[in-house]
């Protein structure tokens, strides 16, 4: 499935973030998306999270940051600030899935997704999609300590789908480094490199399935 060769396909975790940041450093104010202006770095000037604060930062549930998120925050915090990742006290401020859906698609849809709140109590919006949305869900981490990135799609019947096995692969694909010709949101589950990680998340997110479609 991957188009850039075996050596590219074998990359995971912090190694991917380092490659993405090499590109971002060349043009910090460049857009993360081709179809909408969403700069990687606000005003093109990186704002790293202070080391002492980064060392203590974890999710409200007590789960640690993933290695790829920690590496990104050591370079810049502004992408996440613009997507409302932080609470007023400076800590991370996640939303349960129903609240995120209500904020993005309207309050009428929030109750339909409330049954997922126990499974996805800590969600964080990420750039990507036009009518669809991307979000990181703090669930059971995979063997690399990474949390899945999921997609919300309301084009036909609303659905929530696994899309990436972690922020590392999400960032690489968003930066155009992975060369994925996506046909379906969850097709990385069939990939020889990322499939095992995707299947791990499928077990913990959807009892082995790749998505849930309305009516739930």
């Amino acid at each position: 499935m991957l188009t850039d060769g075996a050596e590219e396909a074998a990359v995971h975790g912090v190694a991917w973030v380092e490659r993405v940041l090499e590109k971002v450093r060349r043009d910090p104010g460049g857009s993360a998306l081709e179809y909408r202006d969403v700069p990687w770095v606000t005003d093109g000037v990186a704002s790293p999270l202070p080391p002492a604060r980064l060392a203590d930062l974890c999710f409200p549930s007590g789960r640690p940051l993933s290695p790829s998120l920690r590496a990104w925050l050591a370079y810049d915090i502004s992408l996440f600030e613009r997507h409302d990742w932080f609470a007023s006290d400076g800590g991370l401020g996640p939303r349960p899935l129903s609240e995120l859906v209500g904020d993005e698609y309207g309050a009428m849809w929030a109750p339909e997704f409330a049954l997922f709140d126990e499974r996805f109590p800590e969600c964080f919006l990420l750039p990507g999609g036009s009518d669809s949305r991307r979000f990181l869900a703090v669930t059971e981490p995979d063997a690399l300590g990474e949390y899945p990135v999921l997609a919300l799609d309301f084009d036909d019947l609303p659905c929530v789908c696994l899309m990436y096995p972690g922020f590392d692969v999400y960032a690489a694909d968003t930066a155009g480094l992975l060369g994925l010709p996506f046909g379906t949101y969850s097709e990385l589950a069939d990939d020889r490199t990322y499939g095992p990680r995707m299947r791990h998340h499928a077990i913990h997110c959807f009892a082995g399935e790749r998505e849930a479609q309305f009516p739930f």
Side-chain angles (χ1 to χ4, degrees):
M1 179 185 300
L2 297 175
T3 62
D4 290 337
E7 73 277 7
E8 291 295 308
V11 179
H12 295 270
V14 173
W16 258 138
V17 169
E18 290 174 346
R19 293 192 186 194
V20 176
L21 290 178
E22 287 176 7
K23 178 178 180 178
V24 172
R25 288 187 180 98
R26 292 194 293 269
D27 184 17
S31 181
L33 307 177
E34 294 182 354
Y35 47 88
R36 191 168 71 246
D37 186 22
V38 181
W40 288 111
V41 176
T42 301
D43 298 328
V45 180
S47 301
L49 197 66
R53 184 178 166 199
L54 182 57
D56 293 337
L57 191 64
C58 65
F59 295 107
S61 61
R63 291 191 183 276
L65 297 179
S66 71
S68 64
L69 285 173
R70 191 171 293 278
W72 194 282
L73 288 167
Y75 169 71
D76 180 66
I77 192 175
S78 65
L79 181 70
F80 301 123
E81 286 180 323
R82 282 183 279 118
H83 288 82
D84 299 321
W85 279 47
F86 293 92
S88 58
D89 63 1
L92 288 162
R95 290 175 282 179
L97 183 57
S98 65
E99 183 178 337
L100 187 149
V101 168
D103 290 343
E104 296 297 316
Y105 291 100
M108 62 174 288
W109 283 109
E112 301 293 347
F113 284 81
L115 74 153
F116 293 106
D117 284 351
E118 185 175 354
R119 199 177 311 176
F120 303 125
E122 295 182 309
C123 299
F124 296 88
L125 190 66
L126 287 164
S130 50
D131 294 331
S132 61
R133 299 289 187 274
R134 314 283 182 264
F135 68 97
L136 181 131
V138 182
T139 62
E140 183 67 26
D142 63 24
L144 298 180
E146 297 289 337
Y147 305 103
V149 172
L150 293 87
L152 286 164
D153 193 317
F154 277 58
D155 282 347
D156 190 6
L157 289 176
C159 65
V160 55
C161 318
L162 278 173
M163 190 168 185
Y164 300 101
F167 177 78
D168 55 333
V169 183
Y170 158 83
D173 190 48
T174 302
L177 301 183
L178 207 54
L180 290 175
F182 270 110
T184 61
Y185 285 118
S186 300
E187 66 183 30
L188 275 180
D190 297 320
D191 182 73
R192 66 180 181 274
T193 297
Y194 299 114
R197 292 175 59 192
M198 290 284 283
R199 291 191 288 273
H200 164 91
H201 293 308
I203 290 169
H204 292 281
C205 293
F206 299 114
E209 301 296 325
R210 303 179 184 186
E211 65 179 47
Q213 189 173 67
F214 182 82
F216 303 120

